[in-house]
Amino acid sequence: KISTQERERNRAFRSQLRAAIRDLREMKEKDAAAVKYREVARLLDQAAGCHLIHRRNADRNKSRLAHFVARLS
């Protein structure tokens, strides 16, 4: 029963994380993207802390997203 509850919670969190990353990637405005980036970075760190994703995977995603935001005009 506990594993089922944890699986559902993990699935929901991972889904929220993927949606946030997708929303950030679709942004065109730099100021709004910078605000969204802080939210996504926090979610990535939380996911790494819960072992949902590897710590280096989170760092790699944050680096790529930061580069994306920096290139926006």
Side-chain angles (χ1 to χ4, degrees), residues 17-27 30 33-34 36-45 53 57-72:
L17 175 63
R18 280 196 304 257
I21 291 172
R22 185 172 54 245
D23 290 345
L24 176 58
R25 283 272 183 200
E26 292 172 355
M27 290 188 155
K30 188 169 189 166
K36 184 71 172 177
Y37 171 76
R38 286 194 292 273
E39 176 190 334
V40 171
R42 185 179 58 81
L43 288 173
L44 284 165
D45 287 336
I53 60 173
N57 185 332
D59 291 343
R60 183 173 61 247
N61 272 291
K62 287 193 300 185
S63 176
R64 289 176 179 171
L65 291 171
H67 185 72
F68 168 79
V69 170
R71 293 191 60 188
L72 288 175

Side-chain angles (χ1 to χ4, degrees), residues 7-23:
R7 185 174 69 242
E8 288 300 317
R9 186 172 61 239
N10 289 341
R11 283 182 62 197
F13 189 83
R14 192 177 285 125
S15 175
Q16 178 187 4
L17 175 63
R18 280 196 304 257
I21 291 172
R22 185 172 54 245
D23 290 345

Side-chain angles (χ1 to χ4, degrees), residues 1-8:
K1 179 168 174 152
I2 297 298
S3 62
T4 305
Q5 292 171 345
E6 289 176 352
R7 185 174 69 242
E8 288 300 317

